[in-house]
Amino acid sequence: MPGSKDYYDILGVERDADQRTIKRAFLKKARKVHPDVSDDPNAEEKFKELNEAYSVLSDEQKRANYDRFGSADGPGGSGYVDFSDIFGGMGVDDIFSSFFGGGRSSQGGRARRRVGRDMAITLSVTLEEAALGCTKTVSYDRLAPCEDCGGTGRAEGAVETQCPRCHGSGYVTTMQRSIFGPMQSTSPCPDCGGEGTIIDHPCDMCDGQGRTPTHEKIDIEVPAGISSGRQLRVRGYGEAGFRGEASGDLLVTVVVKDHDRFERAGDDLLCVVTVSIAQAALGCTVSVPGIMPDETITFQVPAGTQYGDTVTTEEFGMPRMDGTTRGRAIAQVRVEVPRKLSGDARELLERYAEVVGDEVAPHRSVGERIRDAIDDMLD
């Protein structure tokens, strides 16, 4: 892979390393180079490079593309939806900072949050996918329960005991003298980090937190009839809690892409159909492909339809979320006026104009128009 980064070398693993080995190597190096714990002026760049390598090698599809083509996306792009832009919960930097910078003691004198936070992503689907319902695979970063210790934070055989300093309360009280007399303050215990307990042998993988940064991949079931802005909740797939506490949820906001033929209005589908002057005057039927596979919508255009009028067909719109009925298909009619007429067509229209009393421009032959043009030039 000339010219490309060697992700295996960056992580320090063999090319046949399994996922656990890759994760261990990443966490081991990340603890040294993460900007929250390293004094190296280049720590941020080193961590970005390390995270890039882990992002690729920890995902089986990206890794396969990288091994074969030298790129995580392969020659034609990846085959799943990749969401690294977590919002509404934790950003990618927040995830790693929370883990690497939040070791055994609380930061800034604050007690550690134990229950996992909710996370949020957006998921784009086509109008056809929204109509039928679909399953979309998404990939994102989160703090997940540690696989080595099962989320407990304890290595095998480790013992968790009451903190002798705070006696299990998680807080210590200190007295300070001031000009106003003795002042009492309470803060998280520095020995146990506000937990009230101490683990004699923390898990090597998670450093006693019971959770590790993980590239998660899950299937999202998108129900038929869903609309833009609708939110799906996946229980337990947000940030994992500290040492086995409850995980947050993953909130998936669905965005339905614009369609080249239909515009959605609630459960109705709006489109445009074009008819000729004769069809608008005499009435006709117009058929267009529907939103469902192999579906055809037939619109009845009544005689005398004007430009901009609408016609409706029931039960050919979007499925309603309750699964019982569908919305309507509504078509705006556009009457197309021909730019050129054959001799027979012109004669018929002129006869029609005469019958109804319409004044029209007199028809002039090509030869007559040429003579007029020559006369204008000679004048």
Side-chain angles (χ1 to χ4, degrees):
M1 293 171 287
S4 65
K5 295 181 180 178
D6 189 337
Y7 292 144
Y8 293 99
D9 183 61
I10 291 172
L11 286 176
V13 298
E14 299 295 330
R15 299 189 71 83
D16 60 352
D18 61 20
Q19 285 299 316
R20 178 160 292 191
T21 301
I22 289 172
K23 188 170 186 177
R24 282 184 178 279
F26 167 68
L27 293 177
K28 183 178 179 180
K29 286 199 171 187
R31 287 190 179 97
K32 296 179 181 179
V33 302
H34 192 275
D36 285 352
V37 295
S38 174
D39 295 328
D40 188 336
N42 298 318
E44 185 173 351
E45 286 302 316
K46 289 181 178 179
F47 181 72
K48 285 182 178 179
E49 185 178 59
L50 187 67
N51 185 42
E52 179 184 338
Y54 177 62
S55 175
V56 171
L57 299 188
S58 64
D59 184 288
E60 293 294 348
Q61 184 167 349
K62 288 183 179 180
R63 183 180 181 182
N65 286 336
Y66 173 73
D67 288 343
R68 185 177 180 185
F69 306 108
S71 167
D73 292 336
S78 59
Y80 63 90
V81 182
D82 182 12
F83 292 99
S84 57
D85 57 336
I86 305 300
F87 67 91
M90 300 181 70
V92 175
D93 291 338
D94 296 328
I95 290 171
F96 293 118
S97 294
S98 178
F99 179 75
F100 296 113
R104 293 190 178 93
S105 62
S106 299
Q107 298 180 4
R110 295 173 296 175
R112 180 188 290 107
R113 179 188 176 96
R114 298 185 63 88
V115 177
R117 288 175 284 189
D118 289 342
M119 301 180 71
I121 61 175
T122 55
L123 174 61
S124 295
V125 298
T126 64
L127 189 61
E128 286 86 354
E129 288 173 330
L132 288 168
C134 62
T135 300
K136 302 287 280 188
T137 301
V138 299
S139 177
Y140 66 106
D141 295 293
R142 72 162 179 146
L143 287 177
C146 176
E147 296 176 356
D148 277 21
C149 65
T152 65
R154 299 191 298 270
E156 186 176 354
V159 177
E160 187 172 3
T161 58
Q162 185 183 85
C163 175
R165 183 164 183 173
C166 66
H167 306 291
S169 69
Y171 292 87
V172 292
T173 301
T174 57
M175 297 291 294
Q176 293 180 328
R177 295 184 179 277
S178 72
I179 59 174
F180 302 105
M183 299 289 290
Q184 178 177 297
S185 63
T186 302
S187 60
C189 175
D191 288 359
C192 66
E195 301 304 320
T197 58
I198 292 177
I199 298 174
D200 58 355
H201 295 295
C203 170
D204 289 336
M205 179 71 89
C206 66
D207 201 26
Q209 291 195 40
R211 56 190 185 178
T212 57
T214 302
H215 294 291
E216 195 81 57
K217 186 187 289 186
I218 63 171
D219 290 336
I220 304 294
E221 298 295 333
V222 180
I226 198 164
S227 56
S228 275
R230 189 70 177 261
Q231 202 169 69
L232 306 174
R233 181 180 292 269
V234 186
R235 300 286 181 184
Y237 275 86
E239 178 191 72
F242 186 82
R243 292 184 188 171
E245 293 288 341
S247 295
D249 298 333
L250 179 65
L251 306 178
V252 183
T253 301
V254 176
V255 175
V256 181
K257 299 176 184 177
D258 291 337
H259 197 268
D260 59 356
R261 190 168 66 255
F262 291 110
E263 180 180 340
R264 186 172 182 175
D267 293 323
D268 294 336
L269 290 177
L270 313 181
C271 66
V272 172
V273 295
T274 301
V275 299
S276 68
I277 295 175
Q279 288 174 319
L282 302 176
C284 65
T285 60
V286 180
S287 296
V288 299
I291 197 63
M292 298 295 188
D294 303 320
E295 180 178 74
T296 300
I297 308 173
T298 300
F299 292 103
Q300 299 293 333
V301 180
T305 294
Q306 304 297 304
Y307 189 103
D309 286 354
T310 58
V311 290
T312 301
T313 301
E314 300 290 336
E315 294 292 320
F316 277 87
M318 292 293 288
R320 294 190 168 89
M321 289 288 288
D322 59 13
T324 56
T325 57
R326 293 173 62 181
R328 302 169 298 170
I330 303 173
Q332 183 186 61
V333 179
R334 294 183 180 175
V335 182
E336 186 175 52
V337 179
R339 294 185 179 276
K340 293 183 179 180
L341 290 172
S342 66
D344 290 342
R346 173 173 289 279
E347 183 179 349
L348 290 172
L349 277 177
E350 288 175 342
R351 286 174 57 191
Y352 168 78
E354 184 180 352
V355 169
V356 299
D358 287 345
E359 291 188 7
V360 296
H363 176 60
R364 305 178 73 251
S365 68
V366 174
E368 290 173 329
R369 291 199 297 272
I370 293 174
R371 284 197 297 272
D372 288 345
I374 294 173
D375 291 341
D376 291 340
M377 292 173 62
L378 295 176
D379 288 343

